[in-house]
Amino acid sequence: MFIGRESELNALENMYESSKFEMMVVYGRRRVGKTSLIDEFTKDKKTLYFTASPKSTKLNLEVFSRDFFSFIGEPLPVPFPDWSTAFRFLVEKVKSEQANGKGRFVFVFDEFPYAAQADPSLPSILQIAIDHGFKEDNMMMILSGSNQGFMESEVLGGRSPLYGRRTGQIRLEAMDYYDAAKFLPDASNEERIRYYAAFGGTPYYLAQIRPSQGFQRNVSNLMFQKAGMLYEEPMMLLREETREPAIYFSVMQAVANGNSTPKLIAEHAGVDISSISGYLNTLISLRIIKRKLPFGENPLKSRKGMYVIDDPFFAYWFRFVGTNMDSIESGRGGALVESATSGEALSTYVGQQFENICLQWIIRNDTTDTLPFLATKFGKWWGNNPAEHEQTDIDVVAANPQEKRLLIGECKWRNTFDVTEAIDKLQGRAGLVKGFPAGKTDFMLFSKKRISSRSVGQYAEDSRIRFVSTDDLYR
């Protein structure tokens, strides 16, 4: 069953409806669902589908030749000797199809980086085929790849022979909390929050979950056993995307342990400070970590940036699994699962992810009547509260700078808490974000459990205060 990705499918369908040559570039890290997206799009279309493998050009051409002649319904004579010949035959096939009025078809070249790394001339050969053949015809091409660095430099980059040939691009990201929950239709909403905090929004990871087994057993089977499907996943991704996976692993572990500045990360990862920015930038480009800034700070000038792991799965893995690999390797992973799936440590971790989920909910609802105004900027704020002479933070922020409107929110992943105290503290933070007056600030209190009607009733007269529970997040 295919889940989500409505906007990406719409983009592909709109391109297919064109009557001229189109080339969509689809890329994103492994397991994020590129092939499933393309399969869903092409399921009812005439498609030549080829997936390259990390092997020699000769062997890839043999597979392409079989796929090509199977597509045109003819027996395979001999494999194509090179990519130039292969594309020449494909161009002739396209022209023949058009001449016979057989309409549009799709050519998918999946995992293009594998073939191009085996034959560095492939991008140039494909460029010639496009310029002197494909672009004159009614066909749609999809180039797909998991090696994000290669796709950005050798397909989309300004120095690539293919630069300017693509007519659209999709960088496929992990799903947000709401679409991720569609993989768990029978789970409670609180369970969905925990699953998202541990597995994130990568479709392949979510597809491994067996909801009937419960959260603890799923985590145990998939991460706390050497044979677990996701036990080695972080290292496998780093091996595929980087040249020094061991160093990147150490950098990730340093960030997971709370080191948030380049200096501290370099010290704890054993990396020279002069080179740490290169490692961090690569991990940012892979969407695994990010540099967070207090809302409103200039990213080019601010020194308040903090590096954090951005993807929930990697955040969970490095927090609970990566630090216990020796025990898991020796077969003692089962003894560690309980502390990683229940108790205060997990609750604190899920609470951090709950803040991200609440911000995702605000962004999802930005164009609806759910929010008091249309916001254009989002984030989190931290800094000094001069009224209380202490450092404080605001969990979620949404703003419309033109109208000077601000929404600030507090996120409580607790079974019980003092609602009045939470609202008082939240209101006390109005005016802390520069450029937004306290009088034009709205407030939201996000909670694990639904706030009692009695507590909500205390604020019925104040239209600037709203309450959102976990159940509301999934409506």
Side-chain angles (χ1 to χ4, degrees):
M1 181 177 66
F2 185 78
I3 295 175
R5 306 301 194 195
E6 289 86 359
S7 63
E8 291 86 356
L9 279 173
N10 286 336
L12 288 165
E13 290 291 350
N14 288 336
M15 182 174 282
Y16 181 78
E17 291 172 2
S18 166
S19 59
K20 59 185 179 64
F21 171 76
E22 304 278 3
M23 185 175 92
M24 179 70 85
V25 176
V26 180
Y27 70 112
R29 73 171 185 241
R30 66 197 303 269
R31 314 291 204 189
V32 81
K34 299 180 297 300
T35 300
S36 295
L37 171 67
I38 297 171
D39 287 347
E40 179 69 14
F41 166 67
T42 59
K43 67 181 182 182
D44 57 353
K45 299 173 178 64
K46 188 173 183 180
T47 305
L48 169 58
Y49 203 126
F50 167 67
T51 301
S53 300
K55 54 190 178 185
S56 70
T57 298
K58 178 179 182 296
L59 296 179
N60 271 316
L61 279 166
E62 288 178 357
V63 176
F64 179 83
S65 301
R66 288 197 297 270
D67 292 344
F68 176 82
F69 283 98
S70 174
F71 172 70
I72 65 175
E74 296 180 9
L76 172 66
V78 292
F80 295 121
D82 51 53
W83 286 113
S84 294
T85 305
F87 290 147
R88 186 168 65 252
F89 269 77
L90 182 55
V91 168
E92 291 173 359
K93 175 61 180 175
V94 173
K95 293 185 182 301
S96 173
E97 290 280 305
Q98 306 309 314
N100 295 325
K102 294 185 178 179
R104 195 164 176 79
F105 78 89
V106 182
F107 169 39
V108 176
F109 200 134
D110 195 13
E111 291 301 352
F112 181 74
Y114 286 144
Q117 287 167 344
D119 183 352
S121 67
L122 179 57
S124 295
I125 295 171
L126 181 56
Q127 172 245 314
I128 293 170
I130 292 172
D131 291 351
H132 300 283
F134 296 141
K135 75 175 185 179
E136 303 298 330
D137 297 307
N138 181 21
M139 71 168 289
M140 177 177 174
M141 180 186 299
I142 299 176
L143 285 188
S144 175
S146 299
N147 187 322
Q148 299 176 89
F150 183 96
M151 295 296 287
E152 290 180 340
S153 63
E154 303 303 321
V155 176
L156 299 172
R159 296 183 178 181
S160 168
L162 293 170
Y163 180 74
R165 273 69 183 180
R166 68 106 174 94
T167 55
Q169 65 189 62
I170 296 174
R171 177 167 185 160
L172 204 60
E173 307 281 4
M175 294 177 172
D176 71 357
Y177 83 97
Y178 189 86
D179 280 343
K182 296 174 183 176
F183 284 83
L184 306 162
D186 299 323
S188 70
N189 290 330
E190 288 186 22
E191 287 177 325
R192 289 170 170 176
I193 296 286
R194 281 190 287 270
Y195 275 116
Y196 181 78
F199 292 89
T202 300
Y204 178 82
Y205 305 162
L206 294 166
Q208 309 309 312
I209 297 172
R210 299 179 183 178
S212 62
Q213 295 183 347
F215 179 70
Q216 181 170 311
R217 187 174 174 187
N218 273 291
V219 171
S220 176
N221 291 344
L222 294 171
M223 299 190 213
F224 279 82
Q225 298 180 23
K226 288 171 61 177
M229 185 72 75
L230 303 180
Y231 172 58
E232 293 189 347
E233 180 65 15
M235 182 55 80
M236 290 174 66
L237 184 139
L238 293 175
R239 288 193 192 105
E240 182 172 293
E241 294 282 357
T242 69
R243 294 181 179 179
E244 301 172 287
I247 293 180
Y248 281 97
F249 187 94
S250 300
V251 171
M252 290 284 294
Q253 193 65 68
V255 176
N257 290 341
N259 301 290
S260 59
T261 66
K263 184 176 183 297
L264 289 174
I265 295 169
E267 289 177 356
H268 286 80
V271 177
D272 191 285
I273 186 64
S274 64
S275 60
I276 190 63
S277 62
Y279 295 111
L280 294 173
N281 288 336
T282 296
L283 291 170
I284 289 173
S285 71
L286 293 174
R287 302 295 202 271
I288 297 177
I289 71 169
K290 68 178 177 181
R291 180 176 178 249
K292 292 176 60 177
L293 286 166
F295 182 87
E297 289 284 317
N298 186 329
L300 300 178
K301 297 180 179 180
S302 178
R303 296 184 178 181
K304 298 180 180 179
M306 298 171 54
Y307 289 91
V308 298
I309 297 182
D310 190 31
D311 184 282
F313 168 75
F314 288 88
Y316 181 88
W317 194 96
F318 278 94
R319 168 67 178 82
F320 294 101
V321 182
T323 55
N324 294 305
M325 292 185 71
D326 289 344
S327 296
I328 297 172
E329 290 289 333
S330 63
R332 294 181 289 122
L336 305 169
V337 172
E338 185 171 353
S339 63
T341 54
S342 61
E344 189 62 30
L346 180 74
S347 181
T348 299
Y349 168 77
V350 175
Q352 295 166 350
Q353 294 298 328
F354 185 57
E355 294 177 11
N356 297 330
I357 289 170
C358 294
L359 187 59
Q360 290 178 23
W361 179 86
I362 287 178
I363 294 171
R364 262 190 171 263
N365 285 276
D366 186 38
T367 57
T368 71
D369 294 334
T370 306
L371 301 186
F373 58 87
L374 180 66
T376 57
K377 293 185 179 296
F378 309 88
K380 176 183 175 72
W381 183 91
W382 63 91
N384 182 53
N385 186 340
E388 299 182 2
H389 304 287
E390 64 179 13
Q391 293 290 307
T392 189
D393 61 15
I394 302 173
D395 293 340
V396 293
V397 177
N400 185 318
Q402 288 71 35
E403 299 178 5
K404 302 296 181 184
R405 296 289 302 276
L406 190 72
L407 169 66
I408 61 175
E410 177 78 4
C411 308
K412 296 288 189 183
W413 185 254
R414 303 176 188 172
N415 291 328
T416 60
F417 62 92
D418 189 319
V419 175
T420 302
E421 180 183 356
I423 292 293
D424 288 346
K425 285 186 176 180
L426 188 57
Q427 290 178 317
R429 291 165 186 162
L432 291 180
V433 181
K434 292 180 181 179
F436 297 91
K440 301 188 74 173
T441 300
D442 289 84
F443 309 93
M444 274 193 177
L445 181 61
F446 295 87
S447 58
K448 179 180 181 181
K449 305 290 186 181
R450 186 173 298 281
I451 302 299
S452 70
S453 56
R454 178 180 178 182
S455 295
V456 173
Q458 294 177 1
Y459 301 95
E461 300 298 320
D462 193 339
S463 61
R464 297 193 301 164
I465 299 176
R466 306 184 185 203
F467 299 88
V468 181
S469 70
T470 294
D471 287 342
D472 294 325
L473 296 176
Y474 287 100
R475 287 188 175 181

